[in-house]
């Protein structure tokens, strides 16, 4: 969640941004749910279809995997 807020601040300040590739790596390695929440809270990357559809989908996959591991 925090990483989306930081990138949003960088965007507003016209500073060097966090590459989308890096954001996706964070999401794939367990940060999808937090990034999805951050996207909604900070209204960041909401116009990007890949984030708009990808983060919720990846979050569901992570939740299912977590449920399977716990049970």
């Amino acid at each position: 969640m925090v990483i989306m807020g930081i990138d949003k601040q960088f965007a507003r300040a016209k500073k060097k941004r966090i590459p989308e590739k890096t954001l996706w790596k964070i999401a794939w390695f367990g940060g999808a749910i937090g990034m999805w929440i951050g996207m909604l809270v900070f209204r960041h990357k909401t116009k990007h279809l890949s984030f708009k559809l990808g983060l919720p989908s990846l979050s569901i996959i992570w939740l299912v995997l977590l449920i399977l591991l716990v049970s």
Side-chain angles (χ1 to χ4, degrees):
M1 184 168 125
V2 173
I3 197 82
M4 293 298 257
I6 292 169
D7 194 46
K8 178 76 175 200
Q9 285 180 338
F10 287 173
R12 285 184 175 162
K14 298 187 189 311
K15 291 184 178 179
K16 186 176 179 182
R17 305 280 303 281
I18 299 169
E20 286 187 7
K21 187 176 182 179
T22 303
L23 295 175
W24 278 113
K25 284 180 184 177
I26 293 167
W28 274 102
F29 288 105
I33 295 170
M35 287 187 61
W36 184 22
I37 293 167
M39 182 180 75
L40 298 173
V41 169
F42 297 110
R43 295 183 191 156
H44 189 53
K45 300 284 187 192
T46 55
K47 293 182 181 179
H48 294 254
L49 192 60
S50 62
F51 282 92
K52 201 173 187 177
L53 299 177
L55 288 178
S57 300
L58 193 54
S59 296
I60 291 168
I61 291 169
W62 271 104
L63 285 174
V64 168
L65 288 172
L66 182 63
I67 290 168
L68 289 174
L69 285 173
V70 171
S71 60

